[in-house]
Amino acid sequence: MKITEARVIVTSPGRNFVTLKLITDEGVYGIGDATLNGREKAVVAYLEDHVCPCLIGKDPANIEDIWQYLYKGAYWRRGPVTMSAIAAVDMALWDIKGKVLNTPVYNLLGGKSREKIMVYAHANGKDLEHTVDEVGRHLEMGYKAVRAQSGIPGIAATYGVAKGKEEYEPAEKGLPKETFWSTEKYLNFLPSLFKRLRDEYGDDPNLLHDCHHRLTPIEAARLGKDLEPYHLFWIEDAVTAELQEGFRVVRQHTTTPLAVGEVFNTIWDAQTLISEQLIDYIRTSLARGGGISHMKKVANFAELYHVRTGFHGATDLSPVTMAAALHFDLSVNNFGIQEHMPHQEILNEVFSYNYTFEDGFMYPGDAPGLGVDIDEEAASKFPYDPAYLPVNRKEDGTLFNW
Ligand code: CS2
Ligand code: MG
């Protein structure tokens, strides 16, 4: 079998997605997700100009060799653009292999380690009481785990909270919007939210929170300690993690579990964090971390150090990544939890998928391959619509982490 065509499909049903389709001489094809939120066209160019031509004529069965060819063969390693492109190729190759062998991808990864995948939902509200209601609404929908983000008194707009009535979506149309931030106001407020949530809903629900890279290690240590009475499932991205050693400070001070990694691209971004047991959950998605082949190595490495998976699953990852993640989650022993941020309805005009949600858990389905497809004609009706993630500043104007 040979790859005869590699096509990049850009479409915007509700938000932008980049999809790679690999077609073989036997008519079997596979698809992979290459969406890099706010930098979509960079991955399109990387794929079309530098990756697709190299794939023509290759045997799609040799997934590991093609992965190494694209990684080592580029000479310029790592980085979100390169690794998103490699991830898309890798997902498409696993999809082809599953279809050729007539089996779902989870079977190729070692089979089922569990029957169902616990997912967490996003609850966000404009203020504390609104967030409490939103958490309740998601618990009623059956979710066993809910991430709570709230508007903060004195801060006009904050990460994770919808502006109007529509669902929260990280990227906004047009050039980047600017938001403002106060760590002091945030740290003073947040424990009251989780106290209120435990008072209202008791000990059972798994509660999570995303700090979105805004604290220093010692600030994160304070937050972790303040939240200990409310036993969160995790706090996520408490600190930016270019300096992996920074997590030593957080770890020494608090027993609140730590999750990080949605912006990581390879094992090298988490090597110290994992091997020194500085984190509890690794969040790198298959789309950012070089696909199934590389993330399998990351998960296996993490398993040695009691670190579990908790993959990123925001709306900027297409149903292809969601499907691939669910196959992966079903197969690895050290699965922890999977993020689930449902896409807009309109996306169903372009993508079809076999995965399902029921009573707080998700299932990848048993279709051969990844069990997901894209309708190219429908996709062409939704042209690329530039959108960016916000830029964040401190109240005095200093440029800060968003
Ligand atoms: C996030 C994302 O889901 C999450 O945990 O941190 O919403 C993130 O902001 C986006 O994926 C950025 O594109
Ligand atoms: Mg996050």
Side-chain angles (χ1 to χ4, degrees), residues 15 36-38 120 122 147 149 159-160 168-171 209-213 234 236-237 262-263 283 288 310-317 339-341 388-390 402:
R15 67 166 340 285
L36 182 59
N37 206 3
Y120 71 89
H122 285 201
R147 180 187 101 156
Q149 307 292 136
Y159 163 75
Y168 171 71
E169 169 60 48
H209 179 73
D210 190 346
C211 307
H212 225 255
H213 322 274
W234 76 33
E236 171 189 340
D237 290 348
E262 67 185 38
V263 304
R283 281 187 43 72
R288 289 296 87 75
F311 288 168
H312 190 204
T315 42
D316 44 288
L317 301 163
E339 182 176 14
H340 177 225
M341 191 180 171
Y388 281 94
L389 296 172
W402 174 69

Side-chain angles (χ1 to χ4, degrees), residues 65-128:
D65 184 69
I66 293 176
W67 196 97
Q68 299 293 345
Y69 181 95
L70 295 173
Y71 183 79
K72 294 182 178 160
Y75 185 64
W76 311 107
R77 299 182 183 197
R78 307 164 66 180
V81 175
T82 300
M83 296 307 285
S84 298
I86 295 179
V89 175
D90 188 77
M91 282 183 225
L93 294 175
W94 282 100
D95 192 23
I96 290 174
K97 194 179 284 295
K99 287 174 177 169
V100 169
L101 299 175
N102 196 28
T103 193
V105 165
Y106 69 75
N107 258 340
L108 304 173
L109 303 176
K112 289 185 187 179
S113 281
R114 59 194 52 75
E115 292 302 320
K116 51 190 184 178
I117 309 301
M118 182 166 74
V119 294
Y120 71 89
H122 285 201
N124 60 81
K126 61 179 178 354
D127 55 26
L128 190 148

Side-chain angles (χ1 to χ4, degrees), residues 56-67:
I56 306 305
K58 286 210 179 325
D59 182 346
N62 301 331
I63 303 178
E64 183 66 18
D65 184 69
I66 293 176
W67 196 97

